[in-house]
Amino acid sequence: MSSAWLTRSRVHAIRPAWGGRNLAYSQSVSSRDGPTPRVAIVGSGPAGFYTARKLMREIHGTKIDMYEQLPVPFGLVRFGVAPDHPEVKKCQEEFEQVASSPEFNFVGNIQLGHDLPLPILAKHYDAVVFAYGASMDKELGLEGEDKPNVYSARSFVGWYNGLPEYRNLDPDLSTGEVATVIGQGNVALDVARILLSKLDKLKKTDLTEYAVDTLEKSKIKHVHVVGRRGPMQAAFTIKEVRELLQLEGVNFQSIPPELFPPDLKKLERPKRRLMELLQKGKPNDPNATRSWSLQFLLSPNALIRDKNNPDVLKGVSYSENVLEDISDPASRVSAKGKDKNVTLETSLLFRSIGYRAEAIPGMELVGANFNTRSGILHHDGVGRILPIDVPEHKNEAPTTNTNITQQPQAVAPAKAHLYCAGWVKRGPTGVIASTMSDAFQTAEAIVQDWRNAITKSDDVSTEAGLGMRGWPAVKAEAESQGYDLTKVVNWDGWRRIDAVEKETGKGRGKPREKFGTVSEMANVASVPI
């Protein structure tokens, strides 16, 4: 028998339709004795670390193996947070504390589904938590979008932050003086701010050296930030807007007053403050050499390229839109196109219209139901992944009665019960604080399930004859099947990478100089490339 939280036969005997109550089950279990849980967390960003922290605090002795595709941890904190926002990266200190526990193990530089099959992983844990981010960009769907001088905001941010995937992006910032960002979230404003900021300040951050070299050659003097709805519906926050308005030597084009609600005093305070800031704008500086604008109610319909050289971008054509209600901040009504086009000149285009996660190969083999359209895992509302045979329309939050515990699902052939946290759970929205709350919610579901399950004294991997659990068992079985795991980077390997990056950065007057390739990281971590 397995020491998974419920044996498969026991689950089928007492399991109601998912999301339903089972009073007999909740009353038949009480406390937990015996082995503490062994949990695999897939992804080492905020969602993964906050889930780990909560689990380790709630159930003393919980053992965490954290799997990461790259040799380095921290996900979007390292590769997504703007380099001029060091205060946001302070959460890494919390994550370091989590990783310092003897119950924590980092398994870096391993691509699940390729280097290691998911079914092998899932056999040797009590729970597997998918907590990875969104790696696929949404596209505009315009002809010529795949030609030069059109980039995703995600790739640009990853490039200047040292994400190996985009080390060779090499954006050309010298073809013209105008850049456009389509999308009006915080990432869009990050892109605009990096393009317009003075380099003497950016050089003191952890912005990569190759990004500094490229930005020094930039000819960009104006940035359009374009959205299909109005100011009330924009997704950016007041902090990001204020930072752009405070940039020295950068003017802001005023927003037409008719785009604002007639009475801002009726708005709730956060939205009112943002609208007042946008309405106030910034006094024009006659000596400013750069500028930016927020363009509203525009949907791109065509890219305009040079007739003699289609690789040269000249502008973007837009359909003008009208909204049914410009004053409702929560309005999700679609913009309605009018029979009128507007063309804005630009030599560089960044799309920042959203992202979605991708499925890990083999998810269906462990019973995880991944929605490729939405890019999220089918779950019960708090993070318990639902079996593949449960219809999508039942993906709703469970009862709010915390005395009634929803059971984890039985999934063949995995021994582990499956959970999700972060963007693969709710989509690529929110900030680190919301990711923390979301991760805590998932961890609480795991804790509930563990404390209310039936304890078995035997080991997760005993049936396989291995006599061990977690990463040691996974490694042994994978290697017995011919998988090469010699390139795995552990936490000590990351610390070596971290130390060299900081030492190199110190010599250049910055916090760190990130390695831009996996091979450089692996070399410092002393593992095969």
Side-chain angles (χ1 to χ4, degrees):
M1 298 292 290
S2 166
S3 67
W5 301 351
L6 293 171
T7 64
R8 192 156 287 106
S9 59
R10 176 68 173 171
V11 171
H12 283 298
I14 63 177
R15 179 180 179 268
W18 191 270
R21 300 184 179 186
N22 192 312
L23 290 171
Y25 169 73
S26 63
Q27 292 170 355
S28 67
V29 292
S30 55
S31 62
R32 292 288 296 179
D33 297 314
T36 52
R38 188 84 185 220
V39 180
I41 296 179
V42 181
S44 67
F49 268 102
Y50 282 126
T51 301
R53 190 183 84 172
K54 181 73 171 177
L55 287 174
M56 294 167 79
R57 287 185 175 182
E58 292 293 322
I59 305 176
H60 183 69
T62 297
K63 293 178 174 56
I64 303 290
D65 291 330
M66 183 172 285
Y67 291 81
E68 167 58 48
Q69 181 174 332
L70 291 169
V72 295
F74 307 141
L76 281 181
V77 177
R78 177 181 170 98
F79 296 117
V81 174
D84 56 347
H85 287 171
E87 71 284 354
V88 181
K89 301 184 182 187
K90 287 187 178 297
C91 60
Q92 291 181 181
E93 298 173 6
E94 297 179 63
F95 304 159
E96 291 275 1
Q97 292 177 0
V98 172
S100 67
S101 168
E103 312 296 345
F104 178 92
N105 177 44
F106 180 69
V107 187
N109 200 31
I110 186 166
Q111 189 173 4
L112 293 178
H114 296 280
D115 302 325
L116 173 66
L118 274 181
I120 293 180
L121 178 80
K123 284 174 62 178
H124 301 291
Y125 290 94
D126 297 303
V128 173
V129 183
F130 294 102
Y132 62 93
S135 59
M136 180 179 289
D137 301 296
K138 293 182 180 179
E139 297 185 346
L140 299 169
L142 302 179
E143 184 179 351
E145 191 174 346
D146 57 343
K147 293 184 180 294
N149 298 321
V150 179
Y151 307 93
S152 75
R154 178 184 176 275
S155 64
F156 184 66
V157 170
W159 169 77
Y160 65 63
N161 271 327
L163 184 60
E165 179 182 356
Y166 299 114
R167 173 62 182 86
N168 297 319
L169 185 71
D170 195 24
D172 189 351
L173 309 182
S174 63
T175 58
E177 296 184 349
V178 181
T180 296
V181 187
I182 295 180
Q184 292 186 331
N186 283 342
V187 174
L189 297 197
D190 280 346
V191 170
R193 193 178 66 257
I194 293 297
L195 290 172
L196 296 172
S197 293
K198 289 188 175 182
L199 268 181
D200 58 346
K201 293 184 178 180
L202 291 179
K203 286 180 178 179
K204 298 176 182 178
T205 71
D206 63 359
L207 185 76
T208 58
E209 202 66 19
Y210 57 79
V212 170
D213 293 340
T214 299
L215 288 167
E216 283 182 327
K217 302 170 187 174
S218 173
K219 294 182 180 179
I220 300 299
K221 293 184 178 179
H222 181 82
V223 178
H224 297 297
V225 182
V226 182
R228 67 187 183 96
R229 292 192 285 265
M232 288 285 290
Q233 291 77 34
F236 48 63
T237 59
I238 192 170
K239 176 180 180 294
E240 299 286 339
V241 174
R242 185 179 290 115
E243 284 183 316
L244 267 168
L245 291 174
Q246 291 175 346
L247 285 182
E248 184 181 351
V250 179
N251 281 334
F252 173 65
Q253 292 184 2
S254 60
I255 300 171
E258 62 269 20
L259 295 182
F260 294 98
D263 189 358
L264 299 185
K265 293 181 181 179
K266 294 182 178 180
L267 302 177
E268 293 185 3
R269 188 170 183 271
K271 186 63 70 171
R272 173 176 56 80
R273 291 177 62 231
L274 176 57
M275 292 303 105
E276 289 173 345
L277 180 64
L278 291 174
Q279 198 172 59
K280 180 181 178 181
K282 179 180 182 179
N284 187 68
D285 178 2
N287 297 317
T289 58
R290 298 182 180 184
S291 59
W292 69 290
S293 62
L294 288 168
Q295 305 286 347
F296 297 102
L297 303 177
L298 297 176
S299 292
N301 56 43
L303 303 180
I304 301 172
R305 292 190 174 272
D306 190 293
K307 294 180 179 179
N308 299 319
N309 185 356
D311 285 347
V312 176
L313 183 64
K314 304 293 287 186
V316 180
S317 173
Y318 301 89
S319 300
E320 286 192 341
N321 303 318
V322 291
L323 284 174
E324 293 179 4
D325 185 357
I326 67 169
S327 63
D328 183 2
S331 176
R332 301 303 300 171
V333 295
S334 298
K336 296 181 177 180
K338 297 194 307 184
D339 295 329
K340 184 177 180 181
N341 289 341
V342 173
T343 298
L344 295 179
E345 172 192 348
T346 194
S347 58
L348 193 64
L349 177 64
F350 299 92
R351 60 174 181 268
S352 185
I353 57 173
Y355 323 97
R356 65 177 183 270
E358 296 180 88
I360 296 174
M363 274 186 161
E364 72 284 356
L365 299 177
V366 298
N369 191 353
F370 186 88
N371 187 320
T372 55
R373 181 179 56 83
S374 62
I376 61 174
L377 283 156
H378 185 35
H379 63 91
D380 70 340
V382 296
R384 299 177 180 94
I385 294 178
L386 299 179
I388 286 177
D389 61 355
V390 176
E392 287 286 333
H393 70 271
K394 291 186 179 180
N395 185 6
E396 54 189 26
T399 174
T400 55
N401 184 348
T402 56
N403 293 321
I404 307 300
T405 302
Q406 301 297 325
Q407 292 172 228
Q409 76 289 4
V411 179
K415 296 292 190 295
H417 297 286
L418 309 179
Y419 300 82
C420 57
W423 284 7
V424 76
K425 172 184 173 183
R426 70 180 192 278
T429 59
V431 294
I432 290 178
S434 55
T435 296
M436 177 177 67
S437 298
D438 173 86
F440 285 177
Q441 181 189 60
T442 296
E444 286 167 1
I446 298 171
V447 170
Q448 263 193 346
D449 293 342
W450 175 259
R451 287 177 175 166
N452 287 280
I454 298 172
T455 303
K456 296 295 178 182
S457 60
D458 53 346
D459 195 275
V460 171
S461 298
T462 299
E463 290 180 5
L466 297 174
M468 49 186 147
R469 323 175 66 200
W471 170 240
V474 170
K475 185 173 184 292
E477 181 171 349
E479 289 180 339
S480 73
Q481 295 187 25
Y483 290 94
D484 181 9
L485 302 179
T486 58
K487 69 174 187 176
V488 166
V489 174
N490 59 22
W491 198 254
D492 286 338
W494 151 243
R495 283 176 169 165
R496 289 194 289 272
I497 295 170
D498 185 43
V500 174
E501 286 186 344
K502 287 179 177 177
E503 186 63 29
T504 304
K506 183 179 180 181
R508 298 174 181 176
K510 55 197 302 187
R512 72 170 65 239
E513 182 59 48
K514 297 174 185 173
F515 290 112
T517 67
V518 169
S519 59
E520 290 173 316
M521 298 174 187
N523 183 56
V524 173
S526 301
V527 300
I529 298 174

